[in-house]
Structures are given as structure tokens and as C-alpha cells.
Amino acid sequence: MALRTETDKETGVALLTLDRPAKHNAIDLATAAELTAAWRAFRYDEEVRAVVVTGAGGRAFCTGIDRGVDIPQPSSPYTIDDPLIAIGPKANDLWKPVIAAVEGMACGGAFYLLGEAEFVIASEGATFFDPHTTYGMVSAYEAISMAQRMPFGEVARMSLMGTAERVSARRAYETGLVSEVTPPGGAVAAALRAAAVIASYPTASVQGTVRAVWSAKEAARTQALAHAPHLIALGSLAPERQAELFGERGRGAGGGVYRLR
């Protein structure tokens, strides 16, 4: 199992941990399926009234799709098979509040999870970046998710700069991606405290409020997401070329050096 779930029955808070630290908590197909199943299970678990999602090991919250995963794609430019499309809580119709606790790196496909959390708490050492363009891929779902949380220019810069630049926790806080910055190692504890407060309130009112907040931006988000498959299919390099660029990252092509801001 690539996930660990711990539920505090007294507070009503579940802690969902991506548990692949040796892989920087990257998501393979089995992990994606586990995430989908976990969010769906929380819908029916009356003991769970709020959820904290985090990554094990402290070095990374999540680094997106596991590069070792083989994902065959249809030849049509009008469709794409995205294994991460259903890894978030909202994609699985969960309206119990979710807080993301970030330690270390959060990049690429991690934004599927961050983008569907109610808010994000990060420790001082957390960094955020989007490597897609560096490796010849279109950042579509990730950029759209972040555009719901950050100013346009900040999303565009992070999405376009690729691996050359990482957004610090402090900068993420200044731009609205992160709601609280903690000392190193403190993100999970802070998230659990906030989740316990929320979980202590009447759950029907809390879930209704979550749904109301999301309804304020859902129309624009839905319209944007409808374009994503076409943009990815038309604008991304062939998988073989992507793999070549990724393999060159340690030899100075894109990922060797980065600037933190």
C-alpha cells in the first residue's frame, strides 16, 4: 500500500499520507487508484469530518507522476488518458474539508491534490514548482488548478519557468497559494490543529460552506478543464523525447540548477 490512513475518532480528523518517500511520494498507477478509493471511502465514513493530506519522509509532499509509469495514449488529439485526473477529493465528490500539509517539494502532479484542498499549510522549507515545460510537456490541469489560487502572473511564471525556478513557502504565502507557514517539520501538526477545529463544527454546515466556496469558481474551472486534453495532446512532445530531456536533467539541461524566490 502506498497510502497510510490514520483517523482520530476523538477529533474526527483523518490523516492521509502518501507513503513512497524513496520515490519522493511520486504517484504510480496503484497509488492513483488508492487515492481515488480513499476519497470515496471518506464520503461514507461518518467518523471522518475533515482530512489532512501530506507526504511521508519530509523531503517531498509529492512530485507528481512516477516517471517509471507507462501510460499508452490514444492517437486522437481530442482525448488523453490522464492517470491523475481522479486523485483529488473534489474529483471524487468529497465535500468534507481537506487541508494539505506540505513539507519539502511539491511539484507537477502534486497540484492535482493541492488544487482540490480547501487550503494549504507549508513549512519554511517547502518549495513549489512545475517542471512540465522543461521536459516538453504542456502544463494544463496543473496550471488551471493553480490559477484558482494564485494571481495570473504568478501562475504563468511558475508554469513557464519549469525547473529553473522554485517558489519558496514564503513567496507561496505572499501570493495566496499557502495560508500558513510553519517552522520546519510543523506543517502536519498545524494542519491537524486547524482540521480539528473545523471538524468540531456541525458537519452539514461545514460541507455546505465548502460547496458554496467552490461554486464561486466552478464555472470558470470547468470551462478551462474542458480545453486541457486538447492542449496537452497538441502541445506536448512525443514521450520518447520527453524521456530524453528528463534523462539529461543531471547534465545541465533544465534541472541541474534552479533559483529560489
Side-chain angles (χ1 to χ4, degrees):
M1 298 289 285
L3 295 182
R4 284 188 283 112
T5 303
E6 307 161 61
T7 300
D8 186 327
K9 295 182 180 181
E10 183 175 338
T11 64
V13 176
L15 176 62
L16 181 65
T17 304
L18 289 163
D19 195 14
R20 302 186 78 214
K23 293 285 189 177
H24 288 164
N25 298 316
I27 299 172
D28 60 8
L29 298 183
T31 309
E34 286 184 46
L35 281 164
T36 296
W39 298 125
R40 289 185 172 274
F42 287 143
R43 293 169 59 195
Y44 297 96
D45 191 339
E46 299 299 326
E47 293 184 334
V48 174
R49 298 186 296 279
V51 183
V52 172
V53 59
T54 193
R59 296 179 61 192
F61 169 79
C62 173
T63 53
I65 190 73
D66 190 320
R67 293 293 301 184
V69 172
D70 182 27
I71 309 164
Q73 294 294 333
S75 59
S76 171
Y78 300 103
T79 184
I80 188 169
D81 286 340
D82 186 339
L84 303 187
I85 195 69
I87 66 168
K90 305 304 176 290
N92 290 284
D93 203 32
L94 178 72
W95 299 100
K96 296 178 181 181
V98 176
I99 303 171
V102 178
E103 299 278 355
M105 295 181 290
C107 64
F111 297 144
Y112 286 71
L113 293 171
L114 299 185
E116 293 194 11
E118 271 52 72
F119 54 92
V120 179
I121 295 176
S123 75
E124 292 173 356
T127 57
F128 304 83
F129 64 103
D130 189 346
H132 282 76
T133 54
T134 300
Y135 303 127
M137 296 178 283
V138 173
S139 177
Y141 291 106
E142 297 83 358
I144 291 167
S145 292
M146 292 303 95
Q148 307 299 308
R149 297 184 175 275
M150 301 166 68
F152 176 88
E154 294 295 325
V155 177
R157 178 168 179 147
M158 183 171 69
S159 301
L160 293 171
M161 290 294 288
T163 59
E165 186 171 271
R166 298 189 180 183
V167 178
S168 67
R170 181 56 53 186
R171 182 60 180 163
Y173 174 78
E174 293 169 349
T175 58
L177 172 57
V178 168
S179 69
E180 180 182 351
V181 178
T182 73
V188 171
L192 289 172
R193 286 193 296 271
V197 171
I198 297 169
S200 71
Y201 302 148
T203 187
S205 300
V206 168
Q207 291 186 51
T209 300
V210 169
R211 194 68 185 86
V213 170
W214 277 85
S215 68
K217 58 184 180 181
E218 193 154 11
R221 182 173 180 266
T222 300
Q223 185 176 24
L225 289 174
H227 293 287
H230 317 311
L231 298 174
I232 294 169
L234 294 171
S236 297
L237 295 179
E240 296 79 11
R241 182 55 182 145
Q242 293 178 27
E244 289 176 7
L245 291 174
F246 189 79
E248 293 170 1
R249 71 193 188 283
R251 300 195 294 274
V257 178
Y258 67 87
R259 184 168 72 90
L260 186 67
R261 70 181 179 103

